[in-house]
Amino acid sequence: MPVEMSTSEIFLIAMLIIFSVPYLIWRFFKTDYYAPLVVVQIIGGILLGPGILGHIFPAYYEFVFNAKVIGALNGIAWWAVMIFVFIAGIELDLKLAWKHKGESGITAGLALGVPLIFGCAAAVIMLKLSSGWIGERGAIWQFILGIGMACAVTALPILVLLMEKLEILRKPIGQRILRYASIDDIAIWGVLAIILLDWNRMGRQIGFLIAFAIVSYLIRKLMKKIAESDRWYVALIWLAACGFAADWAGLHFMVGAFLAGAIIDSDWFDQAKMDMFRSHVLLAIMPVFFLSTGLRTQWDVGGVMVFGAAFLLLIASVSGKLIGVHAAGKILKWGKGDASIIGWLLQTKALIMIIFVNVLLDKQIITNETFTATLIMAVLSTMLTIPLVTPKLRSLESLKEKSH
């Protein structure tokens, strides 16, 4: 008689697949120029999910990704993404943006506002073509605003990784881009909170915000007094408590995770240790989130329609971002080539946009098919960044050399 595998053994097979398959693809095909490892991991999640490999080999999918294994993976994925969003909140540097508030406000406003409008228009077109895109609990305005914001999002953590690769993170143009992205990051979570407002839980949500303001003040006082080694533990306790309170209030634990980090000053921690912490989270546990994201993709409305919607959203996202940033460049009289470079780098979407639409899916504002279309759009827009920005940076450098 065949020996039946335990849940722990099947779970470890799933972990083996999660970590080995994307890594081997990334290394063997040398995709780094077009798709960094994190992007390959997201694509790997889609391929390993029910829509593709699970459809071709249903027995594999049912065996490896059974209900118990998925439950265990989801727990790791929730904690991983909470930590990641928490770090993003900590690393927001609004002091620098405030020093250049005029320029930063105009650029961030147009870089977010124009693709938001274009994305909302794309959402209206999607609803005209089919009602299968909107979730059971989603109001039309929530769907339109949610899709619009998905097209406008910039993924600050991935943007940092790409600018490090391009060797411009510490240069003036890199610091400018970080300022614009930081302001937009605040707007993203603010819009998400508006979308998630629940009139049935309004009392809870108001209570959460009042309690959050009071406890945040106390946490800040405490963090200033304790040693850095203790701050790491207190920060994680604060993260878990804030995530629980936000979810209980109906705002989703991801909103709580971002707020928990946003009230903490980055200079309370050694920057090298924080960079290492972020890298370890990306290395050790975020791949589980990417896989669990891929497991949520579906093609029930038809693969052609899903790819059509993804292409529509990609056009809205890319054109909106570039038009908005070029408009800012004209108003602020930027140098030649700056607007194009900044526009394409702010186009980076993977991770934060995926987290954003995960929340919309959890709240049944969008369907799995819409989630799949936005996921494809996020991957494609991020993959376009390095190939399109690299030659533009070379051209800009050569222009500067000729001018000297």
Side-chain angles (χ1 to χ4, degrees), residues 90-104:
I90 292 174
E91 292 184 333
L92 276 179
D93 188 359
L94 294 178
K95 294 174 187 173
L96 192 59
W98 184 252
K99 281 176 66 177
H100 304 271
K101 54 184 177 291
E103 182 222 3
S104 297

Side-chain angles (χ1 to χ4, degrees), residues 224-243:
K224 289 176 183 176
K225 291 181 178 179
I226 60 179
E228 186 188 350
S229 57
D230 289 316
R231 286 174 186 164
W232 291 96
Y233 289 99
V234 172
L236 291 174
I237 294 167
W238 166 236
L239 167 62
C242 209

Side-chain angles (χ1 to χ4, degrees), residues 132-149:
W133 303 109
I134 189 167
E136 290 182 7
R137 297 185 180 178
I140 290 175
W141 73 268
Q142 289 175 308
F143 177 84
I144 293 172
L145 183 57
I147 295 301
M149 185 53 75

Side-chain angles (χ1 to χ4, degrees), residues 87-402:
I87 294 169
I90 292 174
E91 292 184 333
L92 276 179
D93 188 359
L94 294 178
K95 294 174 187 173
L96 192 59
W98 184 252
K99 281 176 66 177
H100 304 271
K101 54 184 177 291
E103 182 222 3
S104 297
I106 290 170
T107 306
L110 288 168
L112 189 77
V114 178
L116 173 62
I117 293 167
F118 282 26
C120 288
V124 172
I125 293 170
M126 289 171 67
L127 290 178
K128 292 281 185 185
L129 295 174
S130 171
S131 60
W133 303 109
I134 189 167
E136 290 182 7
R137 297 185 180 178
I140 290 175
W141 73 268
Q142 289 175 308
F143 177 84
I144 293 172
L145 183 57
I147 295 301
M149 185 53 75
C151 290
V153 163
T154 296
L156 186 57
I158 299 302
L159 177 62
V160 169
L161 293 176
L162 294 185
M163 288 200 294
E164 282 180 340
K165 181 183 291 294
L166 293 167
E167 299 180 350
I168 62 168
L169 180 60
R170 304 303 172 193
K171 292 182 179 180
I173 192 169
Q175 293 302 298
R176 283 168 60 194
I177 294 167
L178 279 183
R179 292 202 307 269
Y180 311 147
S182 295
I183 295 173
D184 284 350
D185 221 27
I186 291 287
I188 290 160
W189 295 101
V191 169
L192 182 60
I194 292 169
I195 292 171
L196 298 181
L197 279 177
D198 184 346
W199 293 104
N200 295 323
R201 292 191 181 186
M202 186 58 71
R204 282 191 182 187
Q205 291 173 349
I206 292 171
F208 165 75
L209 293 174
I210 293 170
F212 175 79
I214 296 168
V215 179
S216 294
Y217 173 77
L218 297 174
I219 286 289
R220 287 182 59 82
K221 296 276 282 184
L222 174 64
M223 293 290 266
K224 289 176 183 176
K225 291 181 178 179
I226 60 179
E228 186 188 350
S229 57
D230 289 316
R231 286 174 186 164
W232 291 96
Y233 289 99
V234 172
L236 291 174
I237 294 167
W238 166 236
L239 167 62
C242 209
F244 165 75
D247 210 64
W248 173 82
L251 287 174
H252 203 275
F253 59 81
M254 222 78 80
V255 175
F258 177 76
L259 290 173
I263 63 99
I264 292 176
D265 292 353
S266 60
D267 56 14
W268 291 345
F269 300 91
D270 179 83
Q271 189 58 54
K273 288 181 181 177
M274 183 61 75
D275 291 343
M276 190 179 294
F277 184 47
R278 189 198 323 108
S279 297
H280 288 167
V281 171
L282 269 171
L283 172 69
I285 53 177
M286 279 302 283
V288 179
F289 169 72
F290 300 140
L291 187 279
S292 68
T293 294
L295 297 183
R296 308 179 84 171
T297 56
Q298 286 187 15
W299 315 81
D300 290 352
V301 297
V304 174
M305 282 192 70
V306 170
F307 277 103
F311 186 65
L312 174 65
L313 295 174
L314 184 65
I315 292 172
S317 172
V318 171
S319 61
K321 190 72 75 175
L322 291 175
I323 290 169
V325 174
H326 274 84
K330 286 188 178 296
I331 293 169
L332 299 167
K333 297 180 172 57
W334 288 349
K336 186 177 180 181
D338 281 9
S340 185
I341 291 168
I342 292 169
W344 278 109
L345 282 168
L346 288 177
Q347 183 57 45
T348 304
K349 293 198 179 307
L351 272 190
I352 295 299
M353 198 229 69
I354 293 168
I355 292 166
F356 182 86
V357 293
N358 259 289
V359 175
L360 299 183
L361 183 61
D362 282 344
K363 294 295 182 180
Q364 297 181 356
I365 292 169
I366 62 173
T367 61
N368 288 85
E369 292 76 24
T370 309
F371 175 79
T372 305
T374 55
L375 190 61
I376 294 168
M377 180 268 283
V379 169
L380 291 175
S381 65
T382 305
M383 288 177 69
L384 288 170
T385 304
I386 294 286
L388 286 166
V389 169
T390 301
K392 293 177 187 297
L393 280 171
R394 287 180 190 146
S395 176
L396 190 64
E397 288 298 321
S398 63
L399 281 173
K400 287 179 179 177
E401 286 173 8
K402 287 178 183 178

Side-chain angles (χ1 to χ4, degrees), residues 34-50:
Y34 295 95
L37 181 56
V38 291
V39 174
V40 177
Q41 288 168 335
I42 295 165
I43 296 170
I46 297 171
L47 294 174
L48 294 167

